[in-house]
Amino acid sequence: MSNFIVKKVAVLGAGVMGAQIAAHCINAKVPVVLFDLPAKEGPKNGIVQRAIENLKKLSPAPLGNKDDAALIQVANYEDDLEVLKGCDLIIEAIAERMDWKHDLYKKVSPFIAPNAIFASNTSGLSITSLSDGFSDELKARFCGVHFFNPPRYMHLVELIPTVSTAPHILDQLESFLTTTLGKGVVRAFDTPNFVANRVGVFGILATAIEAEKYGLSVDVVDDLTGAKLGRAKSGTFRTADVVGLDTMGHVIKTMQDNLKEDPFFSSYATPPLLAKLVEKGALGQKSGAGFYKKVGKDILRIDAAKGDYVPGGGKADDIIVRILKEKDPVKRMKALHDSTNPQAQFLWAIFRDAFHYIAVHLESVADNARDLDFAMRWGFGWSVGPFETWQAAGWQQIATWVKEDIDAGRALSSAALPAWVFEGAVAENGGVHTAQGSWSPAKKTFVGRSTLPVYQRQAFRATLTGEGVADGKTAGTTFFEDDAVRIWHQNDDVLILSFKTKMHVIGQGVIDGINKALDEAEKNFKGLVIWHADAAEGGAFSAGADLQSMLPLFMSGGVKAIEPVVHHLQQAHQRLKYANVPVIAAVAGLALGGGCELLLHTAKRVVSIESYIGLVEVGVGLIPAGGGLKEAAVRAAKEARGNDILQFLKDYMLAAATANVSKSALEARKLGYLKQDDVIVFNPYELLHVAKVEARAMFDSGYRPALPPQVEVVGRYGVATIMAQLVNMRDGGFISAHDFKLGQMIAEIVSGGLVEAGSVVSEQWLLDLERKAFMELLNHPKTQERIMGMMQTGKPVRN
């Protein structure tokens, strides 16, 4: 085996995409140099420097830690081309003009190192045409690498070879993109707009055509085609606004210019409404107006007939909402197909158009159906791919309905469905996805998954409807399972604890599960990993305490009935901390309140970069009581090493008092929720593998838990100092009177109570302070208002 290690990346072009690709390389600790033209005025690298400054202002943030912007090396094409010789990967990301790209390639190609990979981040230009003029040797190292915007957050990267690209180049680049940058790679053919944009933009155009046919406004369409269909909650037209209507127009024009023989060519016409908006300069979110316009607090929508903005807020009909909530996909699709409701007919029409299009075009855009489905899931935010949707809804029945609509002239093209839809292996297996692989029309067989070594790091790869393979919910050997947890293993030496509660909230069932898992791990395993089966699919690590389950206890027995549960939680967390085998928290997504406290008590954390961690109890009028404040006091005392503990305590205290949640794992480390030796993983599908590796390594190196510390605290002095700051915040109107009370309680706990400065206390002393304050607050009317408000609306109440 030979390693392909990217020691340095060059990004050519400091525009929106180029700068953000560079930022994500820095997130992943990959040194990067960002190039652009020399500035005509001021510093020569001014264009790049301004782009880097802009990275700090963008939302969502391209950088996991804004301070890391300074790590991006600046360069220009006039003075710094020699730097390219030290780069292993060069990504070109300038404007979508073939002539401009060719001019740049002539300038940089003499400086590209002999073994470097050269790639273009084009969204749709021909990769083969881009390589015209290259030597054969450079052609072999050139390909397309299409990141989706924003590059940090979008999982998809399309990898597009030319006929000359050496296979090992693609393998090396796919491995780097997958594990180092955390991406889901789909290999696309060199066709206009590749896979995701080809299918996705057709879907947007088809939606616009069908919406006009059925007389639906843009806000109603977005409500129908967003979260209710398992797609991006922004829907269709709001997504176009975010992307930019000029960008959308450019992608559509690529299809118009290059797909004149396409049987769906008539559908590629620029929608008249889109053309009018672009003409007026209404380019979407970046210009302040597009299909939508924000005026004050109101969101207005464009009215196509009036050509002006009117109040929005249109929603799906109640009958359609009920149909879309039907869990059986066969019944759901039949209800849409058979209904006379215009919204149902619209939804059936866009499904039919999508099924028709992907069946006709699969062979020309992708190697197999799996790649097309993943492209739509990872690039357009669909929870289920179009082929998966078709297969789940009944392959043969859907095929028959689509054919009927084609024959009746209701479809967007008269092109017939390919023969493989109705006969042979696909028909016999009820669809394109099987345990053997996914259908490839060109190869006339089911194609299995990539066998690149990098995928051995993914214990459970992204699953597809129809594959029938075991996933993290069913795989392995179960030791114990109930409604709250599953305790299991992969027939090896590391035990796994998975929560099954909604948002993986923590109630008595989970607490009992933690204790059961620890008992078994200490007897028979090298370690325990806390990992959830939906970790890579946007699930939470834990949204905290299960307030809903506590309500009946509170109603029947008052505060006293709650106290034992809090005590059990504290003791379970202490058991995690002092377990005789290493406990690893494999974290992705939200880790809030009790979820944050849980991970603080594990021996080590393996964390997806997209993890949002914080102690948020003040939002429901409470204080952390699962050991989170105790850990703040313990860590501050340890870090101070004889210096003023209060200086180390303030950040922990302020984060808890303001419910500060990290916007990335990198920021969580900065806030103190993660330690320097915790592992940050970029591909969430690798979490379980890495966590188990860490557990084994710790056990095999003679793991012993730390001895319980005696904690030096700041006492009355610390409380008084913190309170002075809280008084200023209250009197300045930054916090409410109840927030002030919560802050005071937090200050007293992290300071060790009203004892003398320099006093030494036990962890149990601090836990008792937490629990006492928590119980007092549960009886407080303001806290009860906050709890009820959160349970009813899901939003914090400020009172």
Side-chain angles (χ1 to χ4, degrees):
M1 184 185 90
S2 61
N3 289 334
F4 173 66
I5 298 173
V6 176
K7 295 184 284 295
K8 193 169 196 176
V9 172
V11 178
L12 310 180
V16 173
M17 284 299 289
Q20 291 195 63
I21 291 169
H24 194 55
C25 288
I26 288 295
N27 289 336
K29 298 183 184 175
V30 178
V32 66
V33 54
L34 182 59
F35 278 83
D36 212 303
L37 294 165
K40 292 178 180 175
E41 296 177 3
K44 253 190 171 177
N45 289 318
I47 293 172
V48 177
Q49 288 166 343
R50 284 191 294 275
I52 292 171
E53 278 303 305
N54 192 49
L55 288 172
K56 301 176 188 177
K57 303 171 189 172
L58 290 178
S59 180
L63 289 158
N65 179 0
K66 289 182 181 180
D67 296 343
D68 287 346
L71 299 176
I72 300 174
Q73 184 180 343
V74 299
N76 68 76
Y77 302 127
E78 198 170 283
D79 300 333
D80 305 305
L81 290 178
E82 285 286 336
V83 175
L84 291 175
K85 292 180 178 178
C87 297
D88 307 289
L89 172 62
I90 299 162
I91 300 171
E92 170 270 305
I94 69 168
E96 294 286 86
R97 283 272 302 268
M98 185 78 72
D99 53 340
W100 291 1
K101 290 179 188 284
H102 277 150
D103 287 346
L104 179 61
Y105 294 174
K106 285 174 190 171
K107 191 177 290 184
V108 302
S109 56
F111 298 89
I112 297 173
N115 295 313
I117 297 174
F118 187 27
S120 173
N121 182 56
T122 178
S123 61
L125 296 178
S126 166
I127 306 301
T128 301
S129 297
L130 285 173
S131 70
D132 286 349
F134 287 174
S135 66
D136 289 345
E137 192 270 336
L138 184 54
K139 277 184 178 179
R141 294 185 281 119
F142 181 75
C143 63
V145 56
H146 180 210
F147 287 83
F148 275 63
N149 192 20
R152 171 183 157 188
Y153 301 92
M154 296 303 290
H155 192 56
L156 178 65
V157 172
E158 291 175 316
L159 198 54
I160 311 102
T162 71
V163 292
S164 304
T165 308
H168 77 277
I169 292 292
L170 297 171
D171 292 348
Q172 289 175 340
L173 190 49
E174 181 167 349
S175 298
F176 169 75
L177 292 166
T178 299
T179 200
T180 305
L181 297 190
K183 298 303 171 190
V185 175
V186 164
R187 295 201 185 186
F189 293 156
D190 189 11
T191 56
N193 293 339
F194 313 129
V195 184
N197 276 342
R198 177 74 174 272
V199 176
V201 172
F202 166 77
I204 291 170
L205 293 169
T207 298
I209 293 167
E210 303 294 359
E212 185 178 4
K213 186 187 299 182
Y214 290 100
L216 303 182
S217 59
V218 295
D219 49 352
V220 170
V221 168
D222 281 350
D223 192 52
L224 287 167
T225 60
K228 289 182 175 66
L229 284 193
R231 299 181 184 178
K233 63 181 179 181
S234 50
T236 302
F237 294 105
R238 176 70 187 131
T239 298
D241 272 358
V242 172
V243 170
L245 303 193
D246 53 341
T247 302
M248 190 66 63
H250 170 81
V251 177
I252 293 168
K253 190 172 187 308
T254 300
M255 296 169 86
Q256 292 168 354
D257 291 347
N258 297 286
L259 295 169
K260 297 187 188 303
E261 304 303 315
D262 191 309
F264 290 83
F265 181 74
S266 63
S267 304
Y268 301 155
T270 306
L273 182 56
L274 175 69
K276 285 179 188 172
L277 289 169
V278 171
E279 191 179 328
K280 289 197 304 184
L283 306 180
Q285 187 170 276
K286 59 188 170 188
S287 68
F291 289 110
Y292 295 92
K293 181 179 182 180
K294 189 171 184 181
V295 178
K297 292 185 177 180
D298 298 324
I299 304 292
L300 306 182
R301 66 162 175 91
I302 193 72
D303 183 302
K306 295 179 181 177
D308 202 358
Y309 292 93
V310 299
K315 300 287 184 183
D317 292 343
D318 289 343
I319 181 67
I320 304 303
V321 174
R322 287 198 293 275
I323 290 173
L324 294 178
K325 284 182 177 178
E326 167 59 57
K327 291 185 177 178
D328 184 335
V330 175
K331 291 179 181 176
R332 184 167 62 244
M333 196 66 76
K334 180 171 172 35
L336 293 175
H337 176 267
D338 294 350
S339 175
T340 57
N341 180 291
Q343 292 185 8
Q345 292 176 328
F346 160 77
L347 286 173
W348 161 249
I350 63 170
F351 276 123
R352 176 205 63 219
D353 296 339
F355 299 152
H356 188 189
Y357 192 82
I358 60 176
V360 168
H361 286 298
L362 174 58
E363 185 168 358
S364 63
V365 300
D367 176 68
N368 59 72
R370 176 179 55 250
D371 287 346
L372 191 148
D373 273 349
F374 280 152
M376 296 311 298
R377 280 166 51 172
W378 297 338
F380 276 77
W382 293 18
S383 59
V384 182
F387 275 121
E388 291 181 280
T389 303
W390 181 350
Q391 186 161 337
W395 184 268
Q396 293 287 20
Q397 180 62 79
I398 297 296
T400 301
W401 286 339
V402 173
K403 183 178 185 303
E404 287 172 357
D405 279 8
I406 296 168
D407 293 345
R410 291 188 288 268
L412 296 182
S413 168
S414 60
L417 291 172
W420 58 260
V421 170
F422 294 101
E423 58 194 47
V426 170
E428 290 163 11
N429 284 276
V432 291
H433 301 307
T434 69
Q436 294 76 46
S438 296
W439 182 250
S440 170
K443 296 171 182 170
K444 295 183 172 55
T445 189
F446 295 105
V447 175
R449 300 284 186 114
S450 168
T451 57
L452 284 177
V454 70
Y455 292 112
Q456 293 173 13
R457 296 171 58 84
Q458 299 185 12
F460 301 100
R461 294 165 75 169
T463 56
L464 286 160
T465 301
E467 275 189 324
V469 297
D471 59 17
K473 293 178 181 176
T474 58
T477 299
T478 300
F479 165 73
F480 172 84
E481 186 169 12
D482 62 10
D483 290 340
V485 300
R486 180 181 179 226
I487 303 169
W488 60 288
H489 56 86
Q490 294 178 283
N491 301 312
D492 57 17
D493 51 7
V494 176
L495 193 64
I496 303 166
L497 170 63
S498 300
F499 299 173
K500 294 171 60 182
T501 50
K502 185 178 180 181
M503 297 286 285
H504 304 138
V505 292
I506 302 169
Q508 188 62 55
V510 169
I511 295 169
D512 292 342
I514 290 171
N515 284 310
K516 270 193 178 69
L518 286 169
D519 289 342
E520 176 63 12
E522 288 183 332
K523 282 180 192 170
N524 295 312
F525 291 86
K526 287 187 172 183
L528 173 66
V529 169
I530 302 173
W531 173 87
H532 309 317
D534 57 356
E537 306 289 346
F541 176 71
S542 174
D546 185 359
L547 295 175
Q548 201 84 39
S549 73
M550 289 188 185
L551 191 59
L553 276 175
F554 182 74
M555 299 301 286
S556 62
V559 170
K560 286 186 178 178
I562 302 290
E563 187 164 6
V565 178
V566 178
H567 176 70
H568 292 157
L569 177 64
Q570 290 181 337
Q571 296 312 306
H573 285 170
Q574 288 296 94
R575 275 204 71 191
L576 288 172
K577 183 172 183 178
Y578 295 109
N580 288 309
V581 293
V583 180
I584 312 293
V587 181
L590 297 174
L592 305 178
C596 175
E597 291 177 299
L598 187 154
L599 68 86
L600 289 174
H601 285 82
T602 55
K604 196 165 192 176
R605 289 139 291 275
V606 173
V607 188
S608 166
I609 184 175
E610 298 311 331
S611 295
Y612 314 107
I613 302 170
L615 297 170
V616 297
E617 285 82 355
V618 296
V620 287
L622 294 168
I623 55 98
L629 299 179
K630 176 265 297 180
E631 280 299 298
V634 170
R635 290 184 180 195
K638 186 176 180 181
E639 290 166 8
R641 294 178 182 173
N643 295 310
D644 183 2
I645 296 171
L646 190 58
Q647 297 307 310
F648 293 84
L649 193 59
K650 282 194 298 189
D651 288 345
Y652 288 118
M653 185 270 161
L654 195 61
T658 57
N660 194 358
V661 176
S662 74
K663 297 178 182 66
S664 71
L666 296 169
E667 190 180 20
R669 183 179 274 162
K670 190 177 174 185
L671 292 172
Y673 294 129
L674 301 181
K675 295 182 178 179
Q676 285 303 312
D677 64 344
D678 288 333
V679 179
I680 295 176
V681 171
F682 276 68
N683 195 317
Y685 290 98
E686 296 183 355
L687 268 180
L688 182 56
H689 167 80
V690 177
K692 289 173 68 174
V693 167
E694 291 290 331
R696 287 192 190 98
M698 292 172 76
F699 182 91
D700 290 344
S701 58
Y703 176 78
R704 297 286 299 176
L707 294 173
Q710 292 296 300
V711 186
E712 185 181 349
V713 294
V714 291
R716 292 188 186 91
Y717 155 72
V719 175
T721 306
I722 296 170
M723 289 303 297
Q725 188 175 355
L726 289 172
V727 167
N728 289 336
M729 293 173 73
R730 181 195 61 191
D731 293 350
F734 297 105
I735 59 174
S736 69
H738 195 52
D739 288 326
F740 178 79
K741 179 176 179 61
L742 294 166
Q744 179 182 8
M745 286 183 155
I746 291 170
E748 289 185 7
I749 295 163
V750 298
S751 300
L754 299 176
V755 297
E756 292 302 316
S759 295
V760 174
V761 302
S762 68
E763 287 187 309
Q764 190 58 52
W765 170 270
L766 296 165
L767 289 171
D768 291 344
L769 289 176
E770 280 188 6
R771 196 169 65 256
K772 180 185 174 186
F774 187 86
M775 293 306 122
E776 180 185 331
L777 286 167
L778 272 181
N779 262 333
H780 199 293
K782 293 286 188 184
T783 288
Q784 291 171 9
E785 283 176 21
R786 289 194 183 189
I787 291 172
M788 293 309 296
M790 177 64 77
M791 289 170 65
Q792 289 167 3
T793 68
K795 296 178 181 177
V797 175
R798 287 296 173 202
N799 55 3

